[in-house]
Amino acid sequence: QSALTQPPSVSGSPGQSLTISCTGTRSDVGGYNRVSWFHQAPGTAPKLLIYEVTDRPSGVPDRFSGSRSGNTASLTISGLQAEDGGDYYCSSYSTSMTIIFGGGTKVTVL
Amino acid sequence: EVLLLESGGGLVQPGGSLRLSCAASGFNFNTYAMTWVRHSPGKGLQWVSGISGSGTATYYADSVKGRFTMTRDNSRNTLYLQMTNLRADDTAVYYCAKDRGPYFGEPYFDSWGQGTLVTVSS
């Protein structure tokens, strides 16, 4: 149950777009349409942003979008805003009925 | 409104035990699978365990298998995590989270509690 691989940090200016990658294997990210993304602001619980690779729960702005190519999923934030800062985690179903998370990416809005 | 309230965290010595609870309200508890996820500053989020809505099926991360037991009491709308043989690397904030249906099997955790801190130290 190795963690998914995410870049430790990314940064961008307000209004810009940025993309966070999440690399796994065929046993998780590449093998199932069960990839989610979460945002965790400091001192708060995680919030679901994307599920099933590309879908957004109601209430999540369409500035957030998900995609996947092979064993790598990606989260794109368009029109970066100050409140988008914090930690972002990808997560995937893995074989043998387990869930794995990525190591997290710290987003800094400059 | 969905509310999840964890309790039971605290300081425990290595090798000790602790039982976490998660009181749920605002939804039909017995029709949703539930999950425990922990967050430690050095390791980020880590999935710990999941349970079906009926409570008949449970699943665990390798790191806690054999030491942690997840159960639920649907008559009390409460989720539990019994933790034994605790180690220093179990130190984390533990969150309970709600799934989107009765069966565990995807990271669709749409509601989370505020978390309870478990510290394992001598």
Side-chain angles (χ1 to χ4, degrees):
Chain A
Q1 296 174 352
S2 300
L4 305 173
T5 301
Q6 297 181 234
S9 63
V10 296
S11 61
S13 299
Q16 287 185 329
S17 294
L18 60 79
T19 297
I20 303 169
S21 62
C22 169
T23 301
T25 69
R26 287 183 300 176
S27 296
D28 39 68
V29 173
Y32 305 92
N33 289 330
R34 305 180 200 177
V35 177
S36 297
W37 289 90
F38 298 88
H39 174 221
Q40 186 174 31
T44 69
K47 174 188 175 184
L48 178 65
L49 291 177
I50 298 289
Y51 67 98
E52 290 183 352
V53 181
T54 61
D55 293 349
R56 282 186 309 276
S58 61
V60 173
D62 59 6
R63 303 186 293 105
F64 295 92
S65 62
S67 63
R68 181 182 58 189
S69 177
N71 297 333
T72 298
S74 298
L75 173 73
T76 297
I77 308 173
S78 304
L80 195 63
Q81 299 182 4
E83 60 263 34
D84 297 335
D87 296 325
Y88 288 78
Y89 294 91
C90 62
S91 181
S92 175
Y93 171 82
S94 182
T95 53
S96 303
M97 292 296 285
T98 59
I99 301 292
I100 53 174
F101 281 91
T105 298
K106 182 178 181 61
V107 169
T108 301
V109 182
L110 302 171
Chain B
E1 180 190 7
V2 173
L3 286 177
L4 299 170
L5 184 62
E6 302 95 337
S7 60
L11 175 64
V12 60
Q13 292 187 338
S17 299
L18 212 55
R19 188 178 82 156
L20 306 183
S21 299
C22 170
S25 61
F27 63 103
N28 292 327
F29 183 66
N30 63 1
T31 62
Y32 290 92
M34 298 291 292
T35 280
W36 287 99
V37 174
R38 64 189 182 186
H39 181 217
S40 52
K43 297 181 184 178
L45 295 177
Q46 182 186 21
W47 173 76
V48 173
S49 61
I51 190 168
S52 62
S54 65
T56 56
T58 52
Y59 311 91
Y60 300 94
D62 286 347
S63 59
V64 306
K65 198 174 295 183
R67 300 187 299 122
F68 290 11
T69 303
M70 185 177 186
T71 58
R72 63 192 297 160
D73 185 340
N74 286 342
S75 68
R76 297 176 181 268
N77 287 355
T78 303
L79 186 71
Y80 301 100
L81 185 67
Q82 178 68 49
M83 304 184 295
T84 64
N85 193 19
L86 283 160
R87 311 184 303 220
D89 63 358
D90 294 318
T91 294
V93 174
Y94 284 72
Y95 295 98
C96 62
K98 170 186 162 289
D99 216 315
R100 70 161 160 177
Y103 305 110
F104 172 82
E106 64 174 315
Y108 187 102
F109 309 136
D110 59 357
S111 297
W112 298 64
Q114 86 293 342
T116 186
L117 176 62
V118 173
T119 304
V120 183
S121 175
S122 54

